[in-house]
Amino acid sequence: MADPGPRRLRALGEIPVTQLRHVGPKRAEALASLGLETVFDLVTLYPRRYIDRTRRVDLSDLQVGDEAAVFAEVKSCSSRRTRQGRSLVEVRVVDNGESMKVVFFNQPWRAAQLVAGVQAIFFGAVSDFRGTRQMTNPVVDVIVGASGEERDPSRVGGIVALYPASGKAGITSWEMGGFIEESLKRAGPLLDPLGEDLRRDHSLVERTAAYWGIHIPAEMAEVAPARRRLVFDEFLRLQLLLALRRRRLEESSAGVRHPFDPHDLDVSPGSLADRGSSLVRQFLSAHHFALTGAQRRVLADIGADMASAVPMHRLLQGDVGSGKTVVALSTLLMSIDGGRQGAFMAPTEVLAEQHLAALRADVAGLRVRDPGVLAGERDVVVQLLTGRVKGRERQAVLAGLVEGGVDIVVGTHALLTDDVRFKALGAVVIDEQHRFGVEQRARLRDKGREHSVEALDPDLLVMTATPIPRTAAMVVFGDLDRSVLDEMPAGRRGIETRWAGAPEQVAEAWQRVRDEVAAGRRAYVICPLVEESERVEATSAVAERTRLATHELRGLSVGLLHGQMKGTEKDEVMAQFRAGDIQVLVATVVIEVGVDVAQASVIVIEDAWRFGLAQLHQLRGRVGRGDAQSYCYLLGEAPSDEGRQRLEALVASRDGFALAEVDLDLRGEGTLLGARQRGRSDLRLASLRRDEAILVEARDVALALVRDDGLAGNAELVDELRLFVDDEEAQYLFRS
Ligand code: ADP
Ligand code: MG
C-alpha cells in the first residue's frame, strides 16, 4: 500500500486480506469462509453493536431479573453432566474483582471456547440460583481469545465494536476489529467522491471519518453520523446503477409510437362507438362497467408512454381485485390499434387459460384491418401458448405470430422460448410480475428487437398484486416507472376474515360453507402448504378432499385442484367450478394468483399460519370479487409468534399495502432484496425501514447526477460503481 494520496474505494477491493499483518493462510481461509477476501470486504463488515466500556456495568449492581450485557474475563470453567444426562458447562467470570456464574445447558463446546483468560461479553437475564446471581445460556461474544495478544488490549476500556458472530470460523470479534483497524490505518485517507457542497446540503460527514466513526468511535456520538454517510453511499450507488441502466435503455432503444387519444378513455359504457374509432374506445364503450378513476388515470399514463418513442417500462401495482386485467387488455389493444401485436404473460397455466377466456370474451366483435383478407378486416385473434400447446396447434400459433394473423398471444414461460417470433410485437404485459425474475422480464422485452421482424422495442407493462412498500419498490424496481391502482371498483362488499382456532369456530367455518353453497354460491378450501414436494402436497390434498366430502361437507359437490394434475384436467375442474357443477373446490396454492370466479364467496384456509402474509392476502382475494358478502376463515393455531402476528394482521386489515409493511417488518428485508440483482449486494448497512428518508435523498441525488451527464464527469463515482457490477455490465453502463 505505497500509493500516496487519497485512495479510491475500489482500490481497497484489490488488496487481499493476506496483506494484513496477522493474516496468514489459516486466518485468510477463515475470513474467506465468511466471504471476506479483500480489505474492502473488511471495512464494509459493520459492527452489530457496541459496548461502551466507559460506562461499564458493575457486576455488584446487577439485580435478579435484569437483562444485561456484562464484559468479563473467564476465571474458570468446568463441565459435567446433570442427573438427567444433559451436558452442563459452568463458567466463573470476573470483572473488577466481582464475580458471577454463567451456566450453559446442552452446549458442551462452550468448555473449549470459554477457557480461562478469555474476555467476552455475556448478554442475558440475571437469575438467582440458591442465593447467587447467574446467567443461564446467555448470548456470548468473545472479544479477546485465550491468546489475547493479537491486539493491544489497552484499548479495552473505550468503545468496543462487536462484529457479527464468527465463532464458527474461529475468529473473535476482537480479532476482527483488529483486522479492520489495521485495514483503515493502512488505507489512509479515502477519496471522497461527493463534493463539499453536496455533503453540506445533505449533512454528510466526510468518507474517511465515516469509516473510522463506525468502526472505531472515540465516543458513541460519532456512530450515528458515520452510519448516515455510509448508508447514503450504499443507496446512492444502487440508485446510480438503476438510473444508468434506465438511461442506457432509453438511449439504445428504438421504441414504437402507438397511436393513442386520451379522449378514448372518457367514453361511458353502453354508449355507441363507431366502427372507425380506436379499438380501445370500442372496447370501453361496449364494456359493462365504467373505469374506476384509478384505472382511468393509470391508462392515461400508459397511453402517454405508448405514444412516445421511448419504450414504456412501467410497473403497475394494484391490490387483488383492483381491476388490473382491464388495464392490461386496453394496453394490448392500443398496440393492435397501431397495427402491432401484444403478448400477455402469466405465471401459471390456470391463469393463462383464464386470461385467454376473458380476453376472447372482451374482444368479441372487435375487428382489425387486415389487407391480407378479402374483406379487408377481420376479428381480433387471441391465441394461447403454454407448455401444453404442442404439435400442429403450436406450429399454427407460431406461424400466426410471425405472419401477423395472431394479434394477442397469452401464455406462460413458454413465450420465452427461442422459436417464438413475432411480426411486430408492440406491447408486452406481464401479470403477477413477482413470480418472474428480472432476467425473464428482460428476455420478453428483447423479443421485440431480436425476434420480431420489425426490430423495434415493445412497450412493457409489468403488473403485480403483491404490494411492495414504497421504499422496497425504489430498490427492487427502481428502474421502472410506477403506477398504482389505489381504488377498488365500486359496489364491492367486504370480506369478513376470521381466525378459527378453536373447534367450535372451525365448525362455524364449515357451516358457513354449507350456507353459502345452499344460497347458490361457491367455496374454496385451501389445503396446508407442504414443504417437501408438490407430489406429497397433492397426495394430502386428495386425502383432504375425500375427508371433507365424507364428513364436514357431505352431500356437497366437492372438486379437487392441485399442481400435479394435467393441464386439461385443471381446465375441466375450473370450468365445472365456474359453472357451479363443483360447489366446493379443494385446492393447493395453485389458485393463489389471479383466479377469478365471482360467485365464490367463502374461502377456508387450513393451517393458515404456514402461508406467508402476501400469499394469504392473495388467497383471500379469490373471494369478494362479486357483489355478495364474502368470508375468509383461517384455520389452525399458530405455533410461533410470527405466525400469530401474520394471522392477526390479516384479520385486522384488507389493505395490501398495510400488510406489505407488516410483512417487511416480520420477515426482514433479506428475502425481498435477495432477488434484487445479480452481482455483489451493496446494502450491508442500510435498512429500508429505518432509512427511508436517506433512500429518498440518495435517489434524488442519483437521478440528478445521471440526468446531468450520465455520470460522464464523475470518474470517481463510476470507478466505485465498478465494484458492484461485472465487466459486461460495466461496459454497457459506463461506456462514454
Ligand atoms: P386483479 O387486479 O386482481 O387482476 P381483476 O382485473 O381480475 O382484478 O378484476 C377483478 C374483478 O373486478 C373482475 O371481475 C372485473 O371484471 C371487475 N372489475 C374490474 N374493473 C372494474 C370496474 N371499473 N368496475 C366494476 N368492476 C370491475
Ligand atoms: Mg389479475
Side-chain angles (χ1 to χ4, degrees):
M1 297 190 194
D3 187 10
R7 203 181 285 271
R8 290 181 171 191
L9 211 52
R10 193 154 71 100
L12 302 187
E14 281 157 12
I15 306 171
V17 292
T18 44
Q19 297 216 350
L20 297 174
R21 226 176 310 142
H22 294 287
V23 181
K26 253 183 93 185
R27 282 275 173 270
E29 199 178 305
L31 287 170
S33 77
L34 300 169
L36 305 169
E37 294 181 347
T38 69
V39 162
F40 174 78
D41 295 335
L42 277 175
V43 300
T44 53
L45 175 77
Y46 295 110
R48 200 169 36 161
R49 49 197 156 98
Y50 302 86
I51 292 291
D52 187 349
R53 294 277 296 148
T54 58
R55 296 198 290 164
R56 60 203 294 164
V57 183
D58 207 328
L59 281 186
S60 57
D61 287 345
L62 286 182
Q63 300 292 325
V64 170
D66 282 354
E67 277 240 312
V70 170
F71 186 97
E73 182 175 329
V74 175
K75 214 53 208 165
S76 63
C77 176
S78 65
S79 67
R80 60 183 173 90
R81 295 212 161 261
T82 66
R83 251 169 289 154
Q84 294 82 30
R86 295 208 285 169
S87 111
L88 173 64
V89 174
E90 291 180 300
V91 182
R92 179 146 297 278
V93 302
V94 294
D95 182 43
N96 242 356
E98 290 281 333
S99 87
M100 178 180 77
K101 201 162 100 180
V102 179
V103 299
F104 297 92
F105 289 99
N106 289 330
Q107 302 177 24
W109 50 276
R110 291 288 187 193
Q113 180 194 35
L114 300 173
V115 296
V118 165
Q119 297 177 34
I121 292 182
F122 301 87
F123 185 81
V126 181
S127 59
D128 173 83
F129 186 72
R130 297 191 183 144
T132 53
R133 283 159 296 152
Q134 76 169 36
M135 273 187 188
T136 305
N137 293 342
V139 175
V140 180
D141 277 307
V142 171
I143 303 298
V144 185
S147 55
E149 57 283 340
E150 310 95 350
R151 198 178 168 198
D152 179 6
S154 69
R155 282 205 39 255
V156 183
I159 292 164
V160 180
L162 300 185
Y163 293 92
S166 41
K168 220 177 11 173
I171 294 178
T172 65
S173 174
W174 179 249
E175 248 184 307
M176 195 71 92
F179 297 149
I180 291 170
E181 181 170 351
E182 192 194 338
S183 298
L184 287 176
K185 277 190 181 140
R186 293 179 57 184
L190 298 169
L191 185 137
D192 197 327
L194 303 184
E196 226 168 283
D197 291 351
L198 211 147
R199 292 207 303 267
R200 183 168 8 84
D201 291 350
H202 295 276
S203 320
L204 299 168
V205 298
E206 199 268 328
R207 171 172 278 174
T208 312
Y211 278 104
W212 280 88
I214 200 148
H215 288 296
I216 309 168
E219 45 183 306
M220 283 309 289
E222 286 178 19
V223 175
R227 182 178 181 282
R228 180 182 157 77
R229 167 64 202 261
L230 296 168
V231 166
F232 184 91
D233 283 1
E234 288 185 352
F235 282 141
L236 181 71
R237 288 190 286 259
L238 181 63
Q239 294 300 326
L240 283 172
L241 286 174
L242 290 168
L244 275 173
R245 259 176 222 153
R246 177 79 202 233
R247 186 179 165 112
R248 293 295 175 241
L249 195 75
E250 288 176 359
E251 280 171 358
S252 65
S253 63
V256 180
R257 285 181 191 274
H258 301 274
F260 169 71
D261 179 355
H263 296 299
D264 286 346
L265 299 178
D266 296 331
V267 295
S268 39
S271 67
L272 271 182
D274 72 71
R275 284 253 160 236
S277 58
S278 73
L279 291 173
V280 176
R281 189 178 185 93
Q282 292 181 51
F283 163 62
L284 292 176
S285 60
H287 214 61
H288 52 282
F289 51 69
L291 294 177
T292 62
Q295 283 170 325
R296 200 200 163 287
R297 183 170 40 73
V298 165
L299 273 173
D301 288 347
I302 291 174
D305 286 357
M306 294 283 286
S308 109
V310 176
M312 170 161 72
H313 210 59
R314 186 172 288 277
L315 172 71
L316 172 61
Q317 285 188 274
D319 210 341
V320 182
S322 60
K324 292 185 293 298
T325 316
V326 176
V327 174
L329 179 56
S330 304
T331 306
L332 295 168
L333 288 177
M334 286 177 203
S335 174
I336 298 172
D337 264 327
R340 294 188 173 78
Q341 297 159 296
F344 194 3
M345 185 161 84
T348 65
E349 291 193 342
V350 170
L351 201 52
E353 297 272 354
Q354 177 184 295
H355 282 323
L356 177 79
L359 256 57
R360 281 195 172 151
D362 279 333
V363 302
L366 295 182
R367 311 211 12 116
V368 283
R369 271 186 296 282
D370 185 346
V373 297
L374 213 53
E377 62 167 37
R378 56 165 174 79
D379 288 336
V380 171
V381 174
V382 185
Q383 290 291 7
L384 182 74
L385 197 67
T386 63
R388 280 162 43 206
V389 181
K390 292 201 176 90
R392 224 182 298 149
E393 203 186 340
R394 180 179 161 87
Q395 290 313 319
V397 176
L398 293 182
L401 288 173
V402 172
E403 285 151 21
V406 173
D407 301 298
I408 298 177
V409 63
V410 184
T412 51
H413 297 79
L415 287 174
L416 299 172
T417 47
D418 257 353
D419 55 351
V420 180
R421 288 164 190 276
F422 295 83
K423 180 175 181 215
L425 181 59
V428 171
V429 179
I430 304 183
D431 197 12
E432 307 300 345
Q433 136 83 26
H434 64 288
R435 294 298 196 87
F436 296 103
V438 178
E439 305 286 327
Q440 287 166 319
R441 194 201 318 155
R443 264 210 2 245
L444 196 53
R445 194 194 52 230
D446 292 346
K447 285 252 169 219
R449 184 80 73 96
E450 291 159 20
H451 288 192
S452 156
V453 177
E454 194 186 39
L456 292 176
D457 291 317
D459 287 273
L460 175 72
L461 178 69
V462 299
M463 312 199 294
T464 179
T466 302
I468 306 156
R470 195 171 77 104
T471 47
M474 275 186 206
V475 168
V476 185
F477 298 115
D479 54 346
L480 298 176
D481 290 319
R482 254 167 29 105
S483 295
V484 182
L485 283 179
D486 50 7
E487 178 187 349
M488 286 287 174
R492 288 288 162 75
R493 301 284 299 276
I495 303 177
E496 229 178 277
T497 305
R498 294 191 193 151
W499 180 5
E504 64 277 11
Q505 294 167 311
V506 176
E508 182 203 312
W510 298 125
Q511 187 54 47
R512 177 73 67 189
V513 171
R514 298 182 145 279
D515 291 348
E516 291 297 303
V517 167
R521 291 184 282 269
R522 307 217 232 304
Y524 296 102
V525 177
I526 308 303
C527 296
L529 198 64
V530 179
E531 301 289 347
E532 291 97 272
S533 77
E534 241 190 24
R535 204 159 45 79
V536 180
E537 189 165 77
T539 314
S540 85
V542 171
E544 183 60 6
R545 184 254 186 139
T546 309
R547 193 185 69 79
L548 287 171
T550 50
H551 290 87
E552 283 89 343
L553 304 180
R554 189 155 35 149
L556 306 188
S557 159
V558 183
L560 177 68
L561 190 74
H562 61 69
Q564 294 276 293
M565 285 163 56
K566 281 219 213 58
T568 46
E569 288 177 283
K570 285 189 208 159
D571 293 346
E572 180 60 19
V573 168
M574 282 312 295
Q576 289 178 344
F577 186 58
R578 270 180 229 286
D581 297 336
I582 290 175
Q583 298 165 312
V584 180
L585 187 59
V586 174
T588 57
V589 277
V590 290
I591 68 143
E592 173 197 339
V593 290
V595 168
D596 183 35
V597 176
Q599 294 83 358
S601 60
V602 51
I603 184 166
V604 178
I605 305 173
E606 299 186 353
D607 264 2
W609 66 273
R610 287 182 185 275
F611 297 93
L613 194 48
Q615 215 171 14
L616 286 169
H617 180 61
Q618 277 278 348
L619 285 169
R620 176 169 60 179
R622 294 318 104 214
V623 299
R625 304 175 81 81
D627 44 19
Q629 169 67 44
S630 294
Y631 303 88
C632 170
Y633 290 91
L634 309 169
L635 266 45
E637 287 295 343
S640 68
D641 258 356
E642 206 215 292
R644 216 174 353 266
Q645 285 168 356
R646 254 182 280 150
L647 299 190
E648 280 165 3
L650 202 74
V651 170
S653 173
R654 258 199 81 190
D655 176 348
F657 279 88
L659 290 173
E661 298 278 351
V662 174
D663 205 26
L664 194 57
D665 270 349
L666 289 179
R667 277 190 315 162
E669 292 156 13
T671 3
L672 232 176
L673 297 177
R676 182 171 54 89
Q677 64 185 72
R678 52 210 157 117
R680 195 170 198 162
S681 169
D682 191 24
L683 295 188
R684 298 191 183 198
L685 190 59
S687 144
L688 296 181
R689 299 289 286 154
R690 191 171 153 190
D691 303 316
E692 173 166 359
I694 307 179
L695 170 57
V696 172
E697 273 183 70
R699 182 172 171 81
D700 288 345
V701 170
L703 290 177
L705 287 172
V706 171
R707 194 182 321 114
D708 288 350
D709 62 353
L711 235 49
N714 207 323
E716 286 95 15
L717 271 178
V718 167
D719 186 70
E720 191 161 324
L721 292 177
R722 284 175 184 274
L723 267 166
F724 304 97
V725 293
D726 57 27
D727 286 346
E728 194 187 336
E729 184 164 19
Q731 218 164 24
Y732 171 66
L733 290 179
F734 308 133
R735 66 178 174 186
S736 39

mmCIF file of all heavy atoms in Angstrom, residues 324-325 355 431-432 594 625, ligand 2:
data_model
loop_
_atom_site.group_PDB
_atom_site.id
_atom_site.type_symbol
_atom_site.label_atom_id
_atom_site.label_comp_id
_atom_site.label_asym_id
_atom_site.label_seq_id
_atom_site.Cartn_x
_atom_site.Cartn_y
_atom_site.Cartn_z
ATOM 1 N N LYS A 324 -56.883 -4.990 -12.637
ATOM 2 C CA LYS A 324 -55.711 -4.824 -13.493
ATOM 3 C C LYS A 324 -55.936 -5.393 -14.891
ATOM 4 O O LYS A 324 -55.330 -4.938 -15.853
ATOM 5 C CB LYS A 324 -54.493 -5.512 -12.854
ATOM 6 C CG LYS A 324 -54.022 -4.831 -11.586
ATOM 7 C CD LYS A 324 -52.759 -5.459 -11.037
ATOM 8 C CE LYS A 324 -52.969 -6.876 -10.539
ATOM 9 N NZ LYS A 324 -53.920 -6.993 -9.432
ATOM 10 N N THR A 325 -56.822 -6.390 -14.976
ATOM 11 C CA THR A 325 -56.978 -7.068 -16.261
ATOM 12 C C THR A 325 -57.479 -6.120 -17.345
ATOM 13 O O THR A 325 -57.022 -6.170 -18.486
ATOM 14 C CB THR A 325 -57.913 -8.279 -16.108
ATOM 15 O OG1 THR A 325 -57.548 -8.985 -14.915
ATOM 16 C CG2 THR A 325 -57.787 -9.211 -17.284
ATOM 17 N N HIS A 355 -57.122 -15.870 -18.457
ATOM 18 C CA HIS A 355 -56.951 -14.627 -19.210
ATOM 19 C C HIS A 355 -57.402 -14.815 -20.656
ATOM 20 O O HIS A 355 -58.028 -13.942 -21.239
ATOM 21 C CB HIS A 355 -55.490 -14.178 -19.188
ATOM 22 C CG HIS A 355 -55.090 -13.525 -17.904
ATOM 23 N ND1 HIS A 355 -55.928 -12.700 -17.197
ATOM 24 C CD2 HIS A 355 -53.934 -13.574 -17.201
ATOM 25 C CE1 HIS A 355 -55.300 -12.267 -16.113
ATOM 26 N NE2 HIS A 355 -54.091 -12.789 -16.087
ATOM 27 N N ASP A 431 -48.201 -10.400 -16.094
ATOM 28 C CA ASP A 431 -49.083 -10.421 -14.935
ATOM 29 C C ASP A 431 -48.347 -11.054 -13.753
ATOM 30 O O ASP A 431 -47.546 -11.961 -13.942
ATOM 31 C CB ASP A 431 -50.342 -11.234 -15.264
ATOM 32 C CG ASP A 431 -51.468 -10.955 -14.269
ATOM 33 O OD1 ASP A 431 -51.345 -9.983 -13.496
ATOM 34 O OD2 ASP A 431 -52.459 -11.692 -14.274
ATOM 35 N N GLU A 432 -48.653 -10.571 -12.569
ATOM 36 C CA GLU A 432 -48.068 -11.130 -11.349
ATOM 37 C C GLU A 432 -46.557 -11.210 -11.467
ATOM 38 O O GLU A 432 -45.944 -12.248 -11.326
ATOM 39 C CB GLU A 432 -48.662 -12.513 -11.038
ATOM 40 C CG GLU A 432 -50.174 -12.533 -10.997
ATOM 41 C CD GLU A 432 -50.747 -11.608 -9.933
ATOM 42 O OE1 GLU A 432 -49.985 -11.163 -9.046
ATOM 43 O OE2 GLU A 432 -51.959 -11.329 -9.986
ATOM 44 N N GLY A 594 -54.594 -14.660 -9.077
ATOM 45 C CA GLY A 594 -55.422 -14.271 -10.200
ATOM 46 C C GLY A 594 -56.743 -14.963 -10.466
ATOM 47 O O GLY A 594 -57.578 -14.412 -11.148
ATOM 48 N N ARG A 625 -65.132 -11.020 -4.994
ATOM 49 C CA ARG A 625 -64.978 -10.491 -6.348
ATOM 50 C C ARG A 625 -66.325 -10.227 -7.008
ATOM 51 O O ARG A 625 -66.387 -9.685 -8.089
ATOM 52 C CB ARG A 625 -64.150 -11.465 -7.197
ATOM 53 C CG ARG A 625 -62.805 -11.746 -6.568
ATOM 54 C CD ARG A 625 -62.025 -12.788 -7.329
ATOM 55 N NE ARG A 625 -61.343 -12.262 -8.489
ATOM 56 C CZ ARG A 625 -60.177 -11.630 -8.469
ATOM 57 N NH1 ARG A 625 -59.571 -11.437 -7.333
ATOM 58 N NH2 ARG A 625 -59.628 -11.191 -9.574
HETATM 59 MG MG MG B 2 -55.254 -10.387 -12.030
#
